[in-house]
Amino acid sequence: MLDTFSANTIKHVSYNPHTGNAFKNVIKPQNFADASNEITSWDGYTATPLHRLENLAQKLKIQNIFYKDEGPRFGLGSFKALGGAYAAAKVLQREIKNKFNEKVTLSNLRTGKYASLTNTITLVSATDGNHGRSLAWGAQQFGAACKIYIHTEVSEERAKAMRSYGADVIRIDGDYDDSVRIAKTNAEANGWFIVSDTSWENYTQPPTNVMAGYGVMTNEIIQELPFPPSHVLLQGGVGGLAASVCAALRQKWGKDSPRVIIVEPDLANCLYTSAIKDAPTSVQITDETIMAGLSCGDPSPLAWDILREEASDFISIPDTLIAPAMKLLAKPIGNDPTIVAGESAVAGLAAIIAVAQDETLRKDLDINTSSQILLIGSEGATDKALYHKIISS
Ligand SMILES: Cc1ncc(COP(=O)(O)O)c(C=O)c1O
């Protein structure tokens, strides 16, 4: 089973990180603290599990593998629940303050004090599923209208989930990056407010809030792990998840922070390509990867600002490793926990299995029998039909 993850299926580049303080300047400790205070006070907040895959680790001749399982997050199925909904609240707060000159607290927003104002505001975003679900949920909680742009390949089940939170879901002809462009154009034309998880020139506030929201997840990991892991593998779409996690780890553990390894699909490896070019670089998406949440051709410049100083390795993997990795969690080795993991959740797991079984890569990435590996299981079965199809294949 583990032979499927042979080293020659993956591509690895070493990167010499730049020096700098982006880890504390782009998302400030106060941004993380504010987001955490707000999100942990929401109804239904509970920390997600941090599993140990001890039997798998033993087979791979490493000390331990920690897997943060974001499937149960707020009943939305992914870590994204922490970002879009929080950024939505922050946009509404700023907007009501600017427009009506009112001092607004997030708890006033939550309890509906400004319902007659929030329901005049429309929030909008492009998504390949999970960010849109979070934004739609947040908009519903805070009483704003929501429009979500999705591309051709986003599954109908994912579109349905967003509609169930009251969003108007619009399917465009094109890929994720086209949907971002169309959402932007229509927002400008109609006076809607974009709540995006990716940044661009002069648009940094909501993506910073989104990344600050993800810090709730990293905080939970830090509270549960008494020591820094040696390595963290972070899957990349636009890079927001990876940038947020490594910034929060660096803020907590400084020089003792884990070695940061970024993992992406071959079909959308814009961060891997950015590392090779040593500058944020877009890639053309020709075929959609099965890792729907990672299907992004344009890196987020804000995320790249952090990753260029924190990441030392970039790995690109083929889609063929995803089903075996999901099955390995569904039918684990020995008494390792059974985990329901979606396609984008297992990128890091697939990569570490390939790396750990290859002597050259072990050396290059400094993996040995004392290694403590942290993985972010970023989603559960966010498309249940697809999950069951893959697991039973
Ligand atoms: C499940 C899942 N994992 C990882 C990612 C990657 O996050 P980012 O685009 O911030 O790099 C996404 C993005 O949508 C996702 O949905």
Side-chain angles (χ1 to χ4, degrees):
M1 170 84 176
L2 297 182
D3 309 348
T4 316
F5 303 87
S6 117
N8 54 24
T9 58
I10 69 168
K11 294 186 275 202
H12 165 243
V13 288
S14 296
Y15 184 70
N16 198 1
H18 296 253
T19 51
N21 288 317
F23 76 96
K24 60 179 180 189
N25 290 339
V26 174
I27 319 166
K28 297 188 171 57
Q30 193 61 49
N31 297 142
F32 279 127
D34 290 346
S36 174
N37 284 340
E38 169 64 14
I39 294 169
T40 57
S41 72
W42 291 351
D43 281 351
Y45 169 74
T46 159
T48 55
L50 183 68
H51 298 295
R52 285 164 197 244
L53 311 180
E54 287 172 9
N55 293 289
L56 176 61
Q58 203 173 21
K59 278 217 178 308
L60 296 175
K61 301 192 182 69
I62 49 189
Q63 181 80 36
N64 219 331
I65 299 175
F66 298 94
Y67 180 98
K68 178 69 167 167
D69 178 9
E70 286 295 298
R73 183 67 74 185
F74 280 118
L76 266 72
S78 86
F79 79 104
K80 288 262 158 183
L82 299 166
Y86 175 65
K90 295 294 284 180
V91 167
L92 292 172
Q93 183 186 39
R94 272 191 298 273
E95 201 35 38
I96 293 173
K97 201 165 147 228
N98 290 344
K99 210 160 151 185
F100 303 101
N101 207 15
E102 291 260 354
K103 193 170 175 326
V104 183
T105 65
L106 291 183
S107 76
N108 283 158
L109 268 182
R110 244 185 289 128
T111 51
K113 179 169 176 199
Y114 295 99
S116 61
L117 303 178
T118 53
N119 67 21
T120 63
I121 294 173
T122 299
L123 304 176
V124 58
S125 190
T127 187
D128 33 35
N130 291 328
H131 173 68
R133 198 176 301 198
S134 177
L135 179 58
W137 177 65
Q140 189 177 61
Q141 307 269 320
F142 296 107
C146 182
K147 293 199 182 277
I148 301 287
Y149 287 83
I150 58 172
H151 63 81
T152 329
E153 299 293 324
V154 175
S155 74
E156 201 37 44
E157 179 159 335
R158 290 190 165 114
K160 226 160 63 192
M162 291 183 267
R163 283 190 201 106
S164 75
Y165 296 112
D168 179 17
V169 179
I170 303 132
R171 192 181 288 279
I172 61 112
D173 196 13
D175 64 17
Y176 171 75
D177 302 304
D178 296 321
S179 64
V180 172
R181 280 186 281 275
I182 293 175
K184 249 196 262 185
T185 310
N186 289 355
E188 273 159 28
N190 293 290
W192 303 332
F193 294 87
I194 299 191
V195 185
S196 170
D197 54 357
T198 193
S199 66
W200 51 83
E201 214 182 330
N202 299 322
Y203 179 82
T204 54
Q205 196 64 62
T208 304
N209 295 144
V210 166
M211 291 193 288
Y214 300 160
V216 167
M217 169 180 76
T218 319
N219 227 351
E220 291 168 1
I221 295 170
I222 288 169
Q223 278 171 20
E224 221 172 309
L225 282 182
F227 50 83
S230 58
H231 300 73
V232 59
L233 285 91
L234 298 167
Q235 57 274 63
V238 301
L241 161 72
S244 171
V245 172
C246 65
L249 293 178
R250 176 75 61 196
Q251 286 179 19
K252 168 68 182 172
W253 281 317
K255 282 197 307 298
D256 296 328
S257 283
R259 180 170 175 153
V260 175
I261 303 167
I262 305 299
V263 184
E264 290 173 286
D266 287 340
L267 293 171
N269 54 13
C270 59
L271 300 170
Y272 173 89
T273 308
S274 300
I276 293 171
K277 306 264 189 206
D278 198 17
T281 306
S282 298
V283 296
Q284 190 66 41
I285 294 184
T286 43
D287 290 310
E288 285 295 328
T289 165
I290 190 172
M291 293 165 257
L294 311 186
S295 184
C296 308
D298 301 327
S300 168
L302 216 50
W304 180 253
D305 284 348
I306 295 173
L307 296 179
R308 70 191 283 280
E309 294 177 7
E310 298 300 324
S312 53
D313 301 273
F314 291 78
I315 289 179
S316 180
I317 64 169
D319 277 16
T320 47
L321 299 187
I322 295 308
M326 288 166 65
K327 287 181 190 175
L328 186 61
L329 293 180
K331 290 203 185 80
I333 301 174
N335 62 355
D336 280 353
T338 302
I339 300 169
V340 175
E343 307 82 70
S344 297
V346 296
L349 177 70
I352 193 63
I353 299 174
V355 167
Q357 296 186 102
D358 181 79
E359 281 315 313
T360 309
L361 283 173
R362 277 180 88 94
K363 243 190 230 128
D364 287 352
L365 278 82
D366 200 21
I367 303 278
N368 55 49
T369 49
S370 322
S371 297
Q372 310 265 2
I373 308 292
L374 173 61
L375 303 174
I376 306 293
S378 53
E379 67 178 346
T382 47
D383 182 331
K384 288 197 174 50
L386 181 59
Y387 175 81
H388 289 295
K389 189 169 153 209
I390 292 173
I391 289 302
S392 56
S393 63

